[in-house]
Amino acid sequence: MAEQDVPIDIHASKLLDWLLTRRHCNKDYQTSLNVIREKITDAIQSMPAHPKITELLAGKQLNYFICKQIVEVLKETESDSKNIFGYYSSKRMKDWQEIIRLYEKDNVYLAETALILNRNVNFEVPSINKQANKHQSNSEEFLRKSSDMIKQSNKLKAEYQNMAEKLGIKGKDVRSEFQQLIHDLPNHLEEILQELPKLVETIKYYNEFIRFTQKKEDGNFLPILSYLIKKGNTSYFEYKTGKALEDDHSGGRKSSSNDDQIDLIEIEDTGSSSHSNGNGDFVHIDKEDCLPEEGGEIDWNIETVEEPSGESSPSDAIGEKLMNKSRKEDYSLTLLEHLHMRDNFINELHELGGFFDQRVNEMKQEESILSTNQFQGAPSIIQLTSIEKLSSLLKQIQRILDLITNEKISLIFMMREDSSYVDRAVAKMEVKLEQADKCIQKSKLFEEKSKEEAKLVEKLLPDIPIYIKRTKELQNLIESEISKKYKNRPVNIMGGWQVL
């Protein structure tokens, strides 16, 4: 192969060094470039209004090759200024011809072209790509955040709806619906009372088991449950005194207790003593058992109570004491409305439920002969009740527990006992909707930001192919110029526009 056909390979990043080491350009090329750019700035100020020139100057990197194109256009626009010797008298033409001459002196244009080529490949196009990718990433991130806000909003609305469903309201006008719940409290309590008679067999089994295992002949170990089943959800006053509330000041009403027996009733928050067993049962004490050890008699008259006309009884006096108590406690409340009595009722249900749960587990285990014989003398209800029956009784207990302790009934009691709790409950629910609305607003904001970032991407992306096209043209031109200096040997600049 002849030397003329051997290609010259130059890496784009080393092109300027290659030109300087082979002395095609001087090392002070930058000084010459500064002078040329000043002259170009001055020359542009007086350019004619020509579409081709406008196109050449608009948005392009001015270099030696563009300046040559401008001179070619000026040859047409300034043709009138050409003299008989072929020279142009036009200042515009002279300025641009001077610029071309300075470019060609010491091949300054080759150095500038190498600089532009290296900048486009290593900085301009990668920078545009980086910016476009960043804006694209931002757009996708804002879209994701917008979607997350919508999901969060839907989640909050679902939580709001779930809260409303648990409380048995629609959630349209929360405050009025809460007031309606309080108004409907008696209906909820009535539903619980309707279930209590189903516990008769359960209570009987429990009482018999306790009597047998603890060797007690008698006793009611679940007083509140038994009372509610027998007499219903009476007033707290009637539970304490045995009299209906409206009969308290009925003049000649007498106590149902006989002369030989007095019901000693525990009165909270008073100095009077009380006599009851550990489970809260009323204990009946005969007068003879209350006599002093040294003899004598007890004055059974209650002096602190003024008796109305007619006969009076000890229970009348106790009722009067209850009605004159501190206003902390409203004796007109029903047992299930009364906080302390309701807690006792729930505790008895838990006690009963815990007992049956343990009893079922014990019966499921393989029992030894000794443990089997343990209940041979027990009442028939203990010996004959199967595991399946006990499990059924346990489910009924759990059902009633759920009715009296579920979120809805608990909230109703709290709102009934504390009016300010209604405001807190309303705020707790409404804040869900407020947060959901804020999430929607944020979602719209993120969506707008995503669109703005997408517009920036659309603005930048068209510049990339334009830069690549210009870089390719510039690379071809400099390859051609270098080739002329080496007797038209082929020149290949590697790592140029091809890597873009």
Side-chain angles (χ1 to χ4, degrees), residues 53-54 191 273 311 422 466:
I53 292 178
T54 303
E191 182 182 0
S273 61
E311 297 182 4
V422 176
I466 293 174

Side-chain angles (χ1 to χ4, degrees), residues 252-434:
R253 179 179 174 83
K254 293 184 178 181
S255 171
S256 59
S257 59
N258 56 41
D259 294 335
D260 297 324
Q261 197 176 58
I262 300 176
D263 291 338
L264 297 181
I265 303 171
E266 179 182 0
I267 303 176
E268 297 104 339
D269 301 330
T270 65
S272 60
S273 61
S274 63
H275 298 273
S276 65
N277 65 13
N279 294 288
D281 296 322
F282 301 141
V283 180
H284 301 289
I285 305 175
D286 292 333
K287 286 184 177 181
E288 288 75 6
D289 296 332
C290 297
L291 292 174
E293 294 181 359
E294 298 179 358
E297 294 184 357
I298 297 176
D299 184 4
W300 293 98
N301 296 322
I302 301 176
E303 298 178 357
T304 57
V305 179
E306 294 183 4
E307 297 182 2
S309 59
E311 297 182 4
S312 178
S313 68
S315 63
D316 291 327
I318 294 170
E320 194 69 29
K321 284 185 177 182
L322 288 174
M323 293 304 293
N324 292 331
K325 272 192 59 176
S326 170
R327 294 183 181 179
K328 292 179 183 177
E329 199 168 1
D330 187 351
Y331 287 89
S332 65
L333 292 175
T334 64
L335 291 182
L336 293 181
E337 290 174 338
H338 191 283
L339 178 61
H340 177 66
M341 300 308 294
R342 185 170 69 252
D343 286 343
N344 287 344
F345 170 66
I346 294 172
N347 289 338
E348 288 187 5
L349 287 173
H350 280 298
E351 178 184 341
L352 199 58
F355 165 78
F356 274 87
D357 183 60
Q358 181 177 351
R359 187 77 187 111
V360 169
N361 290 331
E362 288 174 352
M363 292 182 67
K364 285 181 179 179
Q365 297 174 357
E366 294 183 3
E367 299 180 341
S368 64
I369 297 176
L370 180 61
S371 62
T372 303
N373 293 334
Q374 181 182 357
F375 295 100
Q376 284 184 353
S380 59
I381 189 173
I382 297 176
Q383 296 189 54
L384 300 179
T385 304
S386 65
I387 295 178
E388 291 74 17
K389 182 63 177 178
L390 289 179
S391 298
S392 175
L393 296 176
L394 176 60
K395 288 180 180 178
Q396 182 60 28
I397 298 169
Q398 292 169 341
R399 167 172 167 72
I400 297 174
L401 258 175
D402 180 66
L403 288 175
I404 192 63
T405 60
N406 64 59
E407 187 174 352
K408 176 180 178 180
I409 195 72
S410 299
L411 179 66
I412 295 174
F413 280 126
M414 285 187 285
M415 290 190 298
R416 187 183 185 281
E417 293 161 6
D418 182 2
S419 59
S420 65
Y421 194 85
V422 176
D423 297 330
R424 295 196 294 271
V426 171
K428 182 180 178 181
M429 290 196 65
E430 289 182 344
V431 74
K432 296 285 184 183
L433 294 182
E434 292 174 1

Side-chain angles (χ1 to χ4, degrees), residues 94-289:
K94 288 180 180 181
D95 288 342
W96 286 101
Q97 284 178 334
E98 175 66 12
I99 291 170
I100 296 298
R101 186 186 65 79
L102 292 173
Y103 261 129
E104 292 175 348
K105 183 181 179 181
D106 297 327
N107 296 321
V108 175
Y109 75 95
L110 290 178
E112 183 192 52
T113 305
L115 287 172
I116 295 174
L117 183 63
N118 183 64
R119 185 167 66 246
N120 286 356
V121 172
N122 294 316
F123 299 101
E124 295 292 347
V125 175
S127 176
I128 295 173
N129 269 321
K130 185 177 180 180
Q131 290 181 50
N133 291 336
K134 181 179 179 181
H135 291 308
Q136 181 65 34
S137 176
N138 289 343
S139 177
E140 293 172 356
E141 179 67 13
F142 284 134
L143 272 181
R144 184 189 64 79
K145 288 183 178 180
S146 176
S147 177
D148 288 346
M149 287 295 101
I150 293 175
K151 290 179 181 178
Q152 182 66 16
S153 175
N154 292 336
K155 180 182 177 182
L156 289 168
K157 290 179 180 177
E159 289 176 358
Y160 176 87
Q161 195 58 41
N162 288 337
M163 289 175 67
E165 289 176 0
K166 284 182 180 179
L167 300 175
I169 62 176
K170 296 179 180 179
K172 294 181 179 179
D173 186 352
V174 178
R175 186 175 295 277
S176 63
E177 290 174 354
F178 279 161
Q179 296 295 341
Q180 186 60 41
L181 283 180
I182 298 173
H183 183 266
D184 292 340
L185 179 59
N187 296 333
H188 297 299
L189 298 181
E190 183 62 29
E191 182 182 0
I192 296 170
L193 290 174
Q194 294 296 327
E195 294 292 326
L196 290 184
K198 299 177 183 179
L199 295 182
V200 170
E201 186 178 358
T202 308
I203 296 173
K204 182 179 179 182
Y205 183 98
Y206 179 77
N207 285 336
E208 292 293 340
F209 191 94
I210 298 299
R211 289 169 190 156
F212 176 75
T213 56
Q214 296 186 9
K215 308 301 181 182
K216 293 184 178 181
E217 296 181 0
D218 198 4
N220 179 14
F221 306 103
L222 301 167
I224 308 298
L225 267 171
S226 301
Y227 183 90
L228 287 169
I229 293 173
K230 183 178 180 180
K231 295 192 175 182
N233 190 25
T234 66
S235 68
Y236 180 52
F237 179 84
E238 182 174 347
Y239 174 78
K240 285 294 187 180
T241 65
K243 302 189 308 178
L245 184 62
E246 60 271 13
D247 295 334
D248 177 56
H249 299 285
S250 57
R253 179 179 174 83
K254 293 184 178 181
S255 171
S256 59
S257 59
N258 56 41
D259 294 335
D260 297 324
Q261 197 176 58
I262 300 176
D263 291 338
L264 297 181
I265 303 171
E266 179 182 0
I267 303 176
E268 297 104 339
D269 301 330
T270 65
S272 60
S273 61
S274 63
H275 298 273
S276 65
N277 65 13
N279 294 288
D281 296 322
F282 301 141
V283 180
H284 301 289
I285 305 175
D286 292 333
K287 286 184 177 181
E288 288 75 6
D289 296 332

